[in-house]
Amino acid sequence: MTTTDNTGATSTTTTTAPAPRTDIRFPSGFLWGSATAAYQIEGAAREDGRTPSIWDTFSHTPGKVANGDTGDVAVDHYHRWRDDVRLMADLGLTAYRFSVAWPRVQPTGRGPAVQRGLDFYRGLVDELLAHGIKPMVTLYHWDLPQELEGAGGWPERDTAYRFAEYAALVGEALGDRVESWVTLNEPWCSAFLGYGSGVHAPGRTDPAAALRAAHHLNLGHGLATQALRATLPARAGIGISLNPSVVRALTDAPDDLDARRRIDALANRVFTGPLLQGAYPADLIADTARVTDWSFVQDGDTASIHHPLDFLGLNYYTPAVVSGPRGVQDGPRLDGHGASAHSPWPGSDDVVFHHAPGERTAMNWPVDPTGLTDLLLDYTAQAPGVPLYVTENGAAYEDTVDAQGQVHDPERIRYLHAHLAAVHEAVRQGADVRGYFLWSLLDNFEWAYGYGKRFGAVYVDYATQARIPKSSAAWYSQVARTGGLPSAG
Ligand code: IFM
């Protein structure tokens, strides 16, 4: 059997490895999962009635994705899902968060569901359950049916109604076997990278459209939550996965503190305002007044969005450090997952983002686990009584296969160890965190970066689709099996 120590060194023995020291233990019942998204792994882009999503169109547009990569084949999960579930079972994982491809289930974004699409997800869920792995379904991880973008996309109100209709279709099909439902993944990216900076699909660069999209995503969440509640058994839990920015001011100077407030409004409170308080923050509306008058928010909308959440999913990778508009941006834009001449921050495009010193991942994202503790404690205060999940956390590194056919990724083990310790610290201080989903199970299509950035605990040889568990997979497996972290010393 193959084991790793806490530095990532792997050894192969024929005896059972001793259990690692578990100096840090998580609450019993804590879920140990991994996460993926449909467009990043499934492939089979034109099979069984699936039609193009905005990401098919975007990735096939020259110059939009590094290396001209697309999700046409991705890691072929659509055909290899049984093996991939076995891989998770072999690792001892107890949960799996995956997303349903809207254009596979409801190809035009309207009308009845396609049976073959639903059958795929039913089969996947049954296989997970048969292996004792709890499914968490995300309904929208960025793959809007292209036809709905043709009708205006998320800046149009109708898309929110279409999303609720689609949510009900999936709820009816899987509600008897899935208990955890996430409406949207990272609506900030959909709105502000998709319609603001344009580095994500559909690639539009219109600040007013980005704010309209953010509102209609919020509304879509609210309407989908109501549709799911009407469809799902009472035991089902419904939540949303946000990617809040942990925003830090460069200094205590007033303009830096104001930059922090403005980015916090656009990154975080544009979602948590209506979700948790039932209103958009007044300062957000004032900050964006020269971009939009917010007349797209109709009476009753914020009440529709403000429904009790059964849980809140938080995705965390790195914090942001900002200052007021003095000095020059240090290097490429640091604020939005890729280079663009357009800002993803409507009305606050003068805020400067700074690199924190220290270690970085292959995404050039600073490694700072303290941000995860801060985030979990912040949301514990903001949403008292709402259980939290870390629905994504992980890191890309330059992984390679060695002469023995193995992949050693000690940096990822260090990253995971530090971030899990940060989760534990939040739990120790009172956060009700129920589970952790490592991003990602497999190397996959990293959006505008294509296949160049590897986030997986399992390496994928894209030429052969062979899966090679990295040493971090063995390490995480030990954590999942013991419910604790091995000593870092
Ligand atoms: O790959 C993405 C994922 O789809 C959404 N959250 C961030 C990950 C890493 O960039």
Side-chain angles (χ1 to χ4, degrees):
M1 122 174 247
T2 302
T3 58
T4 50
D5 65 18
N6 56 27
T7 64
T10 302
S11 60
T12 302
T13 64
T14 48
T15 55
T16 307
R21 279 176 57 199
T22 50
D23 296 340
I24 293 180
R25 292 206 62 76
F26 284 79
S28 76
F30 192 88
L31 290 181
W32 295 103
S34 64
T36 63
Y39 191 72
Q40 295 180 271
I41 63 164
E42 284 182 5
R46 281 174 277 279
E47 281 182 45
D48 292 341
R50 184 186 179 281
T51 55
S53 73
I54 54 175
W55 268 98
D56 294 86
T57 308
F58 188 77
S59 64
H60 279 269
T61 306
K64 297 297 186 191
V65 173
N67 199 34
D69 290 342
T70 74
D72 287 2
V73 177
V75 298
D76 198 30
H77 173 75
Y78 192 72
H79 300 116
R80 296 167 193 261
W81 55 277
R82 278 204 176 80
D83 293 343
D84 291 339
V85 172
R86 196 168 316 120
L87 207 46
M88 286 184 254
D90 288 349
L91 293 176
L93 303 190
T94 53
Y96 177 50
R97 172 174 176 247
F98 64 93
S99 80
V100 171
W102 189 346
R104 207 180 274 297
V105 160
Q106 197 191 31
T108 62
R110 299 169 198 280
V114 168
Q115 202 50 45
R116 281 169 302 176
L118 291 175
D119 287 347
F120 170 70
Y121 295 106
R122 251 198 225 114
L124 174 62
V125 166
D126 286 348
E127 191 78 359
L128 290 165
L129 293 172
H131 285 86
I133 299 171
K134 189 179 161 135
M136 179 181 274
V137 168
T138 302
L139 287 165
Y140 186 71
H141 198 126
W142 309 351
D143 43 4
L144 185 72
Q146 181 60 43
E147 274 207 38
L148 291 185
E149 175 58 24
W154 284 109
E156 284 307 313
R157 188 175 178 87
D158 187 56
T159 304
Y161 292 96
R162 300 283 65 78
F163 179 60
E165 185 184 287
Y166 152 72
L169 293 176
V170 183
E172 277 156 25
L174 302 181
D176 59 343
R177 50 198 94 184
V178 172
E179 289 182 5
S180 295
W181 295 80
V182 172
T183 54
L184 304 173
N185 180 70
E186 301 183 356
W188 184 83
C189 296
S190 300
F192 295 100
L193 300 182
Y195 296 92
S197 67
V199 298
H200 278 191
R204 285 160 66 181
T205 53
D206 173 351
L211 290 166
R212 291 173 67 96
H215 175 60
H216 295 135
L217 284 152
N218 282 333
L219 184 61
H221 160 82
L223 297 173
T225 301
Q226 292 165 47
L228 288 172
R229 290 225 190 281
T231 310
L232 299 176
R235 66 174 186 281
I238 305 170
I240 185 170
S241 285
L242 302 174
N243 59 321
S245 266
V246 175
V247 198
R248 294 174 174 158
L250 185 65
T251 74
D252 284 344
D255 60 342
D256 292 356
L257 295 174
D258 194 54
R260 200 206 84 79
R261 178 196 61 71
R262 287 192 281 150
I263 295 305
D264 178 47
L266 280 165
N268 305 328
R269 290 182 287 120
V270 66
F271 301 107
T272 55
L275 275 172
L276 303 177
Q277 262 95 51
Y280 282 101
D283 63 328
L284 168 72
I285 293 178
D287 290 346
T288 53
R290 67 184 158 88
V291 178
T292 179
D293 61 5
W294 290 78
S295 55
F296 47 82
V297 181
Q298 298 185 5
D299 283 352
D301 280 5
T302 49
S304 289
I305 299 164
H306 185 214
H307 276 279
L309 292 165
D310 296 319
F311 64 87
L312 192 50
L314 301 172
N315 298 352
Y316 175 81
Y317 291 88
T318 189
V321 180
V322 299
S323 76
R326 61 183 150 71
V328 177
Q329 182 90 35
D330 62 342
R333 292 200 80 93
L334 302 173
D335 55 359
H337 302 251
S340 170
H342 300 270
S343 167
W345 305 108
S348 288
D349 45 5
D350 55 348
V351 168
V352 179
F353 285 70
H354 299 262
H355 256 147
E359 211 185 310
R360 312 255 175 95
T361 70
M363 296 294 281
N364 210 18
W365 294 346
V367 176
D368 185 348
T370 65
L372 183 50
T373 308
D374 293 350
L375 181 69
L376 292 165
L377 292 173
D378 180 17
Y379 277 77
T380 299
Q382 286 196 56
V386 178
L388 305 176
Y389 288 92
V390 177
T391 40
E392 284 184 26
N393 175 243
Y397 288 104
E398 309 284 347
D399 304 312
T400 50
V401 184
D402 71 11
Q404 286 70 46
Q406 298 194 331
V407 181
H408 297 292
D409 56 344
E411 313 93 329
R412 186 173 288 102
I413 293 176
R414 274 201 305 279
Y415 180 99
L416 295 175
H417 194 128
H419 285 76
L420 282 166
V423 174
H424 188 268
E425 177 57 21
V427 171
R428 198 187 64 76
Q429 292 189 42
D432 180 10
V433 188
R434 304 275 176 97
Y436 174 91
F437 292 79
L438 188 162
W439 185 271
S440 182
L441 175 68
L442 304 158
D443 290 338
N444 61 47
F445 177 80
E446 177 54 25
W447 308 112
Y449 295 91
Y451 296 98
K453 304 291 177 194
R454 294 180 177 273
F455 274 91
V458 176
Y459 183 94
V460 178
D461 177 338
Y462 294 120
T464 62
Q465 296 291 354
R467 273 76 162 137
I468 306 171
K470 304 175 189 176
S471 41
S472 60
W475 182 88
Y476 188 54
S477 171
Q478 294 279 26
V479 173
R481 288 185 200 284
T482 59
L485 298 186
S487 161

